[in-house]
Amino acid sequence: MANGKVQIANVVHEPRTPNPEPQNRQSAIANRQSPTSEFAPGIDVTIAGVRFQNPVLTASGTFGYGQEFANIIDLNRLGGICVKGISADPMPGNPPPRIYETESGMLNAIGLQNVGAKRFLQEKLPFLRTLKARCVVNVFGYSTEDYVRCLETLNTGDGIDAYELNISCPNTRCGGIVYGSDPKLTEEVVTASKRAARFPLFVKLSPNVTDITVFARAAQEGGADALTLVNTFVGMAIDVETRTPRISNVTAGLSGPAIKPLALRLVHQAARAVHIPIIGIGGIASPEDALEFLIAGACAVQVGTANFYAPDTPIRVAEGIEDYCRRQRIHLDQLVGSLKLPLSDPSRVAEH
Amino acid sequence: MLDAIVTVVENRPLSGGHFVLSVRSPCQAQAARPGQFAMIRLLGHADVLLRRPMSIYDVRPGRNGNQAQPEPQVLDFLYKVVGRGTALMATLKPGDRVGLLAPLGHGFFAEDYLAEARGGDEVLHVAGGIGIAALLLPARELAAAGVKQRLFFGGRTHADLVGVDEFSPYVSETALATEDGSLGHHGYVTAPLSSYLEAQPGKRLLILACGPWAMLEATVSLARRYGQRCLVSMENRMGCALGVCLGCSIRVQGEGHGSYERVCTEGPVFWSEHVVWGEERLPKT
């Protein structure tokens, strides 16, 4: 790849006519004065056969099961919804305190409290499948058997578009992160899960590793259809008055704008190490944040912590990406991985 | 529940670093019920991300130009400066804008407290510090229903006992307590509460309590000892208040999945016997 651009296999964009019919004629006519108005950029993206109407998804654990936001934002304008991590059996979660706000970020150690796969299918999925937003089910377990058992239960569900394998939660004892911090185990659990999964399998990686490319390749070897990068960074905060940890779990996952540069670097590196699509996540709160991830090589993004304080963020981000593409007169696929690196940068040589 | 950008009409300083923030939002003011809360978002401060949970202290009529509006127009929030968020809140001026997600949570009404209160002899409000903010609206509603009420109000020092004048029209008696002895009983508010409960054998009382975890725990233990029912309004750190982050969960009776409930969604008001006391302490919010 002499130009430094990474070829994203598995990502297919809808074929387009050079000058497609504008969706909203009124606004197209109103904007005709502007030289860029007639260009309608395609911002849909197809990952492992699943078409998302725009490249913005809500991150697991920050958007419940979707319905909680139904009265606040138009869920049909989202690209996709990654639901709260589901395990084969219900999980109670960690004792409080579970969250703490830090500068431009927040620590959480929820402990994957969830309703379990069976109740998810009965109570949550029927609503999710009525939406235009794609339903990505985040799956979590304590052992390879747990992951497989959870997937087998979920496989019977109608309306799931893809799975996101969580091998990176930092907040449960001997939980997913064991898999996410050993490349052999990563490959093992991904291989077993891929074999069990009826729907495409995305794998969400931990940033708490020395070399992300090792884990990205291990997941790819295991048969991952795409990667989600990254989960939270392990962090901590202490109450100096009482000299106690701010979070009962002592350590916790850091999210929010504070981690964006760290996550972006990992997406940039992983995008140059694998050929499967990458979904970028980490502190995205604005269209510009998302554009950085797309340019670095992510073909889609997830909005997480921002959903807590500004639930309109994913829609604003999708609109902003479309505006940018219109202004630049490019389609989304032309933006993905379009980072212009200095000639001297060693990562210009793709490590496939 | 509505997510809106609203305008500050007043940010009135009280004693001891307390303030009453007043914002204009007729829809949210008219929808609010006793015991509900709101999430306030400070705009333009990228380092303070999360919204702050605040009890809806009061809702009151306002003016639209020269015209008096009989329906509630304004929401009041009583707060104390304790950290970065509240320090920034204290700098808000009339005309400033804040994000307001409100009203939230099951207030006292969801527990049919009116029926419980009417069926009893007296309602005892037990407040610690800014915990009083959760009790003014129920006190007004109970007074309108003709229920006899009494206030037990404690703080570290006299400057913490804010809002007594606003509360007093609705109660027959007020007992104050300060840890430093600067006003009322010298010690915790649970001491006068204990004496009062001791002197009321055979009476059917309903306790409504809001304040720090230790005060709630002591109040609940007294209620149990004297066989009285108690509703607690819980405080906790919150990420979203929409029921999705699960950051505000507290331990409640029950096994497995049922052993945690969200303060924002299942609460903030709980029957005291439903909450598991003693095991964990919530952070000071």
Side-chain angles (χ1 to χ4, degrees):
Chain A
M1 311 242 170
N3 64 355
K5 196 179 163 186
V6 175
Q7 181 70 37
I8 310 284
N10 283 17
V11 183
V12 182
H13 292 266
E14 294 287 290
R16 296 178 193 92
T17 53
N19 197 354
E21 186 70 12
Q23 286 188 335
N24 185 337
R25 267 192 171 277
Q26 287 294 321
S27 68
I29 291 162
N31 291 334
R32 198 147 280 177
Q33 278 78 1
S34 152
T36 58
S37 65
E38 285 177 29
F39 183 79
I43 61 159
D44 61 290
V45 58
T46 301
I47 303 171
V50 183
R51 181 184 176 273
F52 297 84
Q53 61 183 351
N54 68 57
V56 185
L57 291 75
T58 58
S60 177
T62 67
F63 211 70
Y65 303 101
Q67 195 153 18
E68 295 89 336
F69 286 82
N71 294 329
I72 303 177
I73 64 163
D74 181 358
L75 299 174
N76 284 315
R77 295 180 64 192
L78 299 171
I81 295 171
C82 299
V83 303
K84 173 80 183 159
I86 300 287
S87 46
D89 303 309
M91 298 264 300
N94 289 334
R98 292 174 167 188
I99 58 169
Y100 184 71
E101 186 186 80
T102 59
E103 278 74 5
S104 299
M106 75 175 269
L107 288 165
N108 88 80
I110 306 302
L112 290 163
Q113 179 179 340
N114 80 93
V115 298
K118 285 201 185 86
R119 272 185 61 198
F120 169 76
L121 293 179
Q122 288 161 10
E123 297 171 18
K124 312 294 181 184
L125 193 56
F127 172 77
L128 285 162
R129 70 170 161 255
T130 65
L131 303 174
K132 280 189 200 159
R134 293 300 188 177
C135 171
V136 179
V137 180
N138 186 286
V139 173
F140 153 78
Y142 284 108
S143 65
T144 302
E145 293 69 37
D146 278 352
Y147 282 97
V148 168
R149 195 157 57 90
C150 188
L151 288 166
E152 282 169 349
T153 305
L154 291 169
N155 278 342
T156 64
D158 177 19
I160 296 173
D161 293 296
Y163 294 124
E164 182 179 68
L165 209 62
N166 179 2
I167 57 166
S168 45
C169 177
N171 298 326
T172 51
R173 268 167 218 167
C174 46
I177 201 161
V178 175
Y179 286 99
S181 51
D182 178 332
K184 273 206 186 105
L185 288 174
T186 294
E187 190 176 335
E188 179 197 303
V189 72
V190 173
T191 303
S193 300
K194 178 63 189 170
R195 203 173 293 143
R198 192 185 134 204
F199 308 109
L201 188 71
F202 307 165
V203 177
K204 190 168 181 180
L205 296 181
S206 169
N208 305 298
V209 294
T210 313
D211 183 354
I212 194 72
T213 63
V214 172
F215 292 86
R217 284 198 204 94
Q220 180 176 263
E221 284 303 306
D225 294 301
L227 301 177
T228 302
L229 265 76
V230 292
N231 210 320
T232 54
F233 288 78
V234 178
M236 188 173 173
I238 295 169
D239 180 342
V240 298
E241 294 304 320
T242 60
R243 302 186 201 179
T244 54
R246 295 282 192 183
I247 303 271
S248 71
N249 192 54
V250 183
T251 59
L254 181 65
S255 64
I259 70 165
K260 195 196 74 183
L262 304 169
L264 187 62
R265 187 267 289 188
L266 294 167
V267 166
H268 165 71
Q269 289 183 325
R272 276 151 183 77
V274 296
H275 57 76
I276 52 176
I278 289 175
I279 301 164
I281 163 174
I284 294 173
S286 71
E288 193 179 337
D289 295 337
L291 290 165
E292 286 188 79
F293 278 86
L294 296 168
I295 292 166
C299 66
V301 295
Q302 292 182 9
V303 172
T305 303
N307 295 323
F308 294 156
Y309 57 90
D312 64 338
T313 304
I315 291 172
R316 263 194 314 112
V317 168
E319 286 172 348
I321 292 169
E322 189 167 13
D323 287 347
Y324 175 90
C325 288
R326 186 178 296 117
R327 210 168 63 238
Q328 298 268 333
R329 300 186 72 81
I330 55 171
H331 298 295
L332 179 67
D333 53 351
Q334 296 169 279
L335 180 66
V336 170
S338 62
L339 179 66
K340 296 170 187 166
L341 289 167
L343 286 170
S344 56
D345 191 283
S347 67
R348 282 179 63 95
V349 182
E351 309 169 45
H352 279 212
Chain B
M1 180 252 293
L2 189 70
D3 192 6
I5 305 286
V6 300
T7 305
V8 173
V9 293
E10 196 182 5
N11 194 15
R12 184 161 54 99
L14 308 173
S15 61
H18 294 80
F19 290 78
V20 176
L21 177 73
S22 306
V23 300
R24 190 184 154 75
S25 179
C27 287
Q28 289 168 310
Q30 285 157 32
R33 303 281 295 113
Q36 286 191 299
F37 71 101
M39 291 292 271
I40 295 180
R41 183 176 174 213
L42 299 162
L43 305 175
H45 297 283
D47 61 324
V48 179
L49 285 186
L50 302 175
R51 308 192 240 218
R52 272 28 185 187
M54 300 267 161
S55 294
I56 297 172
Y57 178 44
D58 202 357
V59 292
R60 53 193 174 85
R63 300 186 71 81
N64 190 2
N66 285 331
Q67 207 178 349
Q69 310 261 322
E71 293 293 305
Q73 309 287 311
V74 171
L75 298 101
D76 288 345
F77 301 96
L78 174 67
Y79 66 98
K80 183 181 186 178
V81 175
V82 289
R84 289 185 305 149
T86 42
L88 284 168
M89 267 181 79
T91 67
L92 290 169
K93 295 180 295 294
D96 287 348
R97 315 268 273 169
V98 294
L100 188 70
L101 180 69
L104 295 163
H106 289 288
F108 288 100
F109 61 94
E111 308 292 357
D112 204 11
Y113 81 126
L114 269 179
E116 183 80 17
R118 280 207 189 95
D121 294 297
E122 192 176 23
V123 166
L124 310 184
H125 296 271
V126 183
I130 55 160
I132 191 131
L135 299 173
L136 183 66
L137 286 180
R140 185 178 298 147
E141 187 170 81
L142 289 165
V147 173
K148 195 178 164 214
Q149 304 178 77
R150 184 176 287 262
L151 171 65
F152 296 85
F153 187 14
R156 260 173 297 193
T157 183
H158 65 95
D160 289 338
L161 302 182
V162 295
V164 177
D165 290 346
E166 286 75 6
F167 215 98
S168 53
Y170 310 121
V171 293
S172 58
E173 294 280 341
T174 297
L176 303 177
T178 50
E179 288 171 41
D180 66 358
S182 56
L183 188 60
H185 169 78
H186 188 167
Y188 294 126
V189 68
T190 41
L193 175 68
S194 176
S195 314
Y196 187 74
L197 289 169
E198 179 69 38
Q200 311 296 314
K203 288 261 180 74
R204 188 173 152 199
L205 309 170
L206 173 66
I207 298 172
L208 308 185
C210 186
W213 181 266
M215 186 211 83
L216 291 180
E217 198 169 20
T219 300
V220 168
S221 138
L222 284 172
R224 198 180 301 126
R225 187 189 312 162
Y226 291 100
Q228 305 293 356
R229 296 206 78 189
C230 179
L231 282 165
V232 290
S233 177
M234 305 296 292
E235 298 174 333
N236 201 353
R237 290 199 199 110
M238 287 184 191
C240 66
L242 298 166
V244 304
C245 79
L246 310 180
C248 65
S249 297
I250 56 165
R251 276 270 283 151
V252 296
Q253 302 296 337
E255 290 304 315
H257 182 64
S259 61
Y260 285 102
E261 282 182 5
R262 300 160 293 188
V263 170
C264 72
T265 306
E266 283 82 25
V269 175
F270 297 90
W271 284 111
S272 62
E273 63 269 23
H274 187 54
V275 177
V276 175
W277 304 93
E279 288 185 13
E280 296 129 4
R281 281 176 177 257
L282 295 180
K284 284 178 184 159
T285 47

